[in-house]
Amino acid sequence: MARKKRGVPEINAGSMADIAFLLLIFFLVTTTMDADKGINRKLPPWDEENIEDAPPIKERNIFTVLINSSDYLLVEDDYLELSELREAAAKFLVNNGDGSCDYCDDGMRNPESSDNPSKAIISLQNDRGTSYDMYIKVQNELVAAYAQVRDELSQKWYGKPFNSLTDEDQITAIKDAFPQKISEAEPLNLGG
């Protein structure tokens, strides 16, 4: 009697590609992607025709804020607490040193501080070792100083807070009165 050769049974792998494809689709659809987080800043558009040397800026029109690696603030050559930064920045913005700002009633008219809000620039520089938390807190305080002076002017001119203005002309007028100029310099090793 002769023996029959048996064939090796094969596994049907025809549907394996379909299963792999369905799993791939499933994981692509169900995976969540984190949105980018960061500071919302709108940079001016690049215009190659207007590349020229910047006009000279008087030192008194620059409000200097330095953050060292130990998260201490040096504001205008004086140590300040974070809680005092907003008020100091707001006073700088409404100083009215040259008397040309007719809406800066609260200005101290200090001749060693900013001439008027249109010339006032806040310069922020931090150390490479500055904590991200402190950097964000300082940014928030500086933006809040602009919000505070804009809100006060909006109350004076229109009788309502700046955030509740709906007329684009009114919003533009307030923003033109207090243009937000925050300059960030490259981080340095300022030390601690």
Side-chain angles (χ1 to χ4, degrees), residues 120-184:
I121 298 171
I122 296 178
S123 173
L124 174 63
Q125 188 165 31
N126 61 298
D127 188 276
R128 293 188 192 281
T130 302
S131 71
Y132 190 71
D133 185 48
M134 182 63 167
Y135 174 76
I136 295 296
K137 286 179 181 177
V138 168
Q139 281 279 345
N140 286 342
E141 289 299 312
L142 295 176
V143 171
Y146 277 102
Q148 176 183 327
V149 296
R150 286 176 174 177
D151 195 47
E152 290 170 0
L153 185 61
S154 177
Q155 288 283 4
K156 179 180 172 184
W157 283 358
Y158 307 116
K160 53 185 169 180
F162 178 68
N163 289 343
S164 65
L165 293 177
T166 55
D167 184 9
E168 285 298 319
D169 292 334
Q170 292 176 348
I171 293 171
T172 303
I174 298 292
K175 285 184 177 181
D176 288 345
F178 287 107
Q180 184 171 318
K181 297 179 184 177
I182 299 176
S183 170
E184 288 189 51

Side-chain angles (χ1 to χ4, degrees), residues 44-61:
W46 181 261
D47 188 5
E48 293 202 23
E49 294 178 9
N50 290 334
I51 297 177
E52 57 188 51
D53 292 334
I57 300 172
K58 295 179 183 176
E59 191 67 34
R60 69 173 177 242
N61 287 326

Side-chain angles (χ1 to χ4, degrees), residues 51-166:
I51 297 177
E52 57 188 51
D53 292 334
I57 300 172
K58 295 179 183 176
E59 191 67 34
R60 69 173 177 242
N61 287 326
I62 300 174
F63 185 75
T64 307
V65 179
L66 301 172
I67 314 169
N68 69 8
S69 61
S70 300
D71 292 345
Y72 289 114
L73 288 175
L74 185 67
V75 179
E76 296 288 294
D77 298 326
D78 291 325
Y79 283 101
L80 264 175
E81 294 294 322
L82 183 64
S83 60
E84 302 168 318
L85 180 61
R86 183 184 309 186
E87 182 181 343
K91 283 182 181 178
F92 171 79
L93 292 172
V94 298
N95 181 58
N96 196 18
D98 64 2
S100 64
C101 178
D102 57 350
Y103 51 86
C104 297
D105 296 336
D106 299 337
M108 299 178 343
R109 298 196 69 165
N110 181 355
E112 296 178 12
S113 190
S114 70
D115 289 336
N116 62 51
S118 64
K119 295 180 181 178
I121 298 171
I122 296 178
S123 173
L124 174 63
Q125 188 165 31
N126 61 298
D127 188 276
R128 293 188 192 281
T130 302
S131 71
Y132 190 71
D133 185 48
M134 182 63 167
Y135 174 76
I136 295 296
K137 286 179 181 177
V138 168
Q139 281 279 345
N140 286 342
E141 289 299 312
L142 295 176
V143 171
Y146 277 102
Q148 176 183 327
V149 296
R150 286 176 174 177
D151 195 47
E152 290 170 0
L153 185 61
S154 177
Q155 288 283 4
K156 179 180 172 184
W157 283 358
Y158 307 116
K160 53 185 169 180
F162 178 68
N163 289 343
S164 65
L165 293 177
T166 55

Side-chain angles (χ1 to χ4, degrees), residues 7-68:
V8 179
E10 293 182 14
I11 298 174
N12 184 4
S15 65
M16 291 295 269
D18 294 336
I19 293 171
F21 181 72
L22 288 173
L23 284 173
L24 179 66
I25 295 296
F26 172 77
F27 285 115
L28 284 174
V29 170
T30 59
T31 303
T32 59
M33 301 286 181
D34 289 336
D36 290 338
K37 295 179 182 176
I39 299 172
N40 186 13
R41 292 280 184 256
K42 183 176 180 182
L43 298 175
W46 181 261
D47 188 5
E48 293 202 23
E49 294 178 9
N50 290 334
I51 297 177
E52 57 188 51
D53 292 334
I57 300 172
K58 295 179 183 176
E59 191 67 34
R60 69 173 177 242
N61 287 326
I62 300 174
F63 185 75
T64 307
V65 179
L66 301 172
I67 314 169
N68 69 8

